[in-house]
């Protein structure tokens, strides 16, 4: 019985260490945001047949089939074919990767900076039909599939940046309407287009993603990866 209680406590502790609180939005005064450190993974984890480098992990939110906002783990990644950074996350009954080139990553960062200014100045509107695209649109690349290790579907499209209030708390949002599935051209049984994606970020979660997508950080990760691959090849025994 004691062992069962200890195991239950450990599971509970790990869940709360991962949980992130919503941003408070108090109209009378500037709110203080609570941030949490997230565990980092080895930069040498891979997905999709070593085409995606998983550098670290964080938090993202999305709505389930019931419409309730759910916290998900976000894998901060780099597409090794294009060197584009981004993130991967479960989405409904599938898994998706969102990649951004250097210009798009900068656009995401600048849009979030404006959101933060509006947040602190109390200029956010609680309701509005166009709030999801308040901060404009930019180019993105998408990969998706049934499970994390198998995402054959891919395409390019536009990401729309804005915000939405959920349970009285605002979230910075990324909305992606269906994009044409290029894999469908090779496999006729594949989906013709992607689902609509909408991701929600607290200020802390958005900052973590922006930090990951910083060009200097991306270059450093790729250099470390290449250095490790060279060391691995050099470490083989000499044949005589």
């Amino acid at each position: 019985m004691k062992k069962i209680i200890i195991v239950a406590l450990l599971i509970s502790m790990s869940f709360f260490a991962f949980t992130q609180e919503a941003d408070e939005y108090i109209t009378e005064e500037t709110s203080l945001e609570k941030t949490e450190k997230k565990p980092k993974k080895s930069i040498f984890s891979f997905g999709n047949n070593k085409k995606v480098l998983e550098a670290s992990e964080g938090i993202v939110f999305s709505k389930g089939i019931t419409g309730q906002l759910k916290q998900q783990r976000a894998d901060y990644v780099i597409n090794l074919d294009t060197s584009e950074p981004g993130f991967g996350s479960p989405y409904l009954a599938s898994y998706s990767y969102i990649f951004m080139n250097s210009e798009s990553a900068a656009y995401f960062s600048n849009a979030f900076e404006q959101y933060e200014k509006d947040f602190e100045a109390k200029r956010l509107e609680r309701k509005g039909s166009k709030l999801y695209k308040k901060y404009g649109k930019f180019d993105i690349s998408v990969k998706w599939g049934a499970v994390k290790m198998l995402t054959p579907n891919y395409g390019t499209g536009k990401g729309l940046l804005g915000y939405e209030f959920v349970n009285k708390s605002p979230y910075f949002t990324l909305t992606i309407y269906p994009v044409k599935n290029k894999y469908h051209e090779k496999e006729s049984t594949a989906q013709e287009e992607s689902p609509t994606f909408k991701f929600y970020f607290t200020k802390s979660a958005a900052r973590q993603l922006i930090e990951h997508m910083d060009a200097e950080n991306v270059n450093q990760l790729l250099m470390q990866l290449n250095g490790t691959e060279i060391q691995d090849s050099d470490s083989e025994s000499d044949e005589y």
Side-chain angles (χ1 to χ4, degrees):
M1 184 65 180
K2 290 183 177 179
K3 291 184 178 179
I4 295 175
I5 294 174
I6 292 173
V7 171
L9 286 172
L10 289 173
I11 294 174
S12 176
M13 289 171 65
S14 64
F15 174 79
F16 284 111
F18 184 67
T19 301
Q20 185 180 84
E21 296 183 10
D23 295 324
E24 294 181 0
Y25 192 70
I26 304 172
T27 56
E28 297 299 325
E29 59 184 6
T30 301
S31 64
L32 296 177
E33 182 190 6
K34 298 179 181 179
T35 59
E36 300 176 12
K37 292 183 179 180
K38 299 298 180 298
K40 290 192 174 182
K41 299 160 56 179
S42 166
I43 67 167
F44 306 116
S45 295
F46 296 88
N48 284 278
N49 297 320
K50 295 192 175 182
K51 295 292 186 179
V52 178
L53 174 68
E54 297 179 357
S56 58
E57 63 185 56
I59 299 295
V60 70
F61 295 80
S62 58
K63 289 185 177 180
I65 57 175
T66 62
Q68 296 295 313
L69 199 63
K70 182 179 180 181
Q71 177 178 290
Q72 305 281 8
R73 190 182 83 176
D75 293 310
Y76 295 150
V77 297
I78 298 175
N79 185 335
L80 293 179
D81 285 335
T82 62
S83 297
E84 292 180 347
F87 68 96
S89 174
Y91 196 88
L92 295 176
S94 64
Y95 193 91
S96 63
Y97 286 106
I98 311 300
F99 300 105
M100 306 179 204
N101 59 31
S102 56
E103 292 80 8
S104 294
Y107 191 98
F108 185 97
S109 178
N110 291 336
F112 175 70
E113 182 179 350
Q114 183 58 54
Y115 167 76
E116 279 197 301
K117 291 178 181 178
D118 292 340
F119 187 107
E120 299 302 332
K122 306 305 174 189
R123 291 193 294 260
L124 299 182
E125 302 175 43
R126 294 184 180 273
K127 293 183 179 181
S129 61
K130 299 181 179 180
L131 298 181
Y132 71 97
K133 57 180 180 180
K134 170 77 173 179
Y135 302 111
K137 61 183 179 180
F138 64 112
D139 295 328
I140 51 88
S141 298
V142 181
K143 281 174 59 69
W144 75 96
V147 294
K148 179 179 179 179
M149 295 302 294
L150 185 61
T151 57
N153 306 295
Y154 66 100
T156 58
K158 296 291 183 180
L160 303 172
L161 296 173
Y163 65 90
E164 180 181 329
F165 275 82
V166 180
N167 297 329
K168 298 182 179 180
S169 293
Y171 291 81
F172 187 64
T173 61
L174 167 61
T175 304
I176 304 169
Y177 284 113
V179 302
K180 184 178 180 180
N181 184 9
K182 295 182 179 179
Y183 182 63
H184 177 72
E185 299 173 2
K186 304 176 183 178
E187 178 54 67
S188 60
T189 59
Q191 297 172 300
E192 293 188 25
E193 59 182 20
S194 73
T196 296
F197 297 106
K198 189 167 187 178
F199 298 98
Y200 297 73
F201 301 87
T202 60
K203 291 191 292 182
S204 176
R207 291 191 196 108
Q208 286 183 320
L209 176 58
I210 290 169
E211 181 180 351
H212 162 68
M213 295 193 299
D214 179 75
E216 184 176 345
N217 181 63
V218 172
N219 290 335
Q220 185 177 27
L221 289 170
L222 292 175
M223 288 175 63
Q224 290 181 43
L225 174 64
N226 293 333
T228 299
E229 290 178 339
I230 292 173
Q231 290 176 9
D232 289 344
S233 63
D234 289 345
S235 65
E236 296 180 1
S237 301
D238 294 329
E239 294 184 3
Y240 184 70

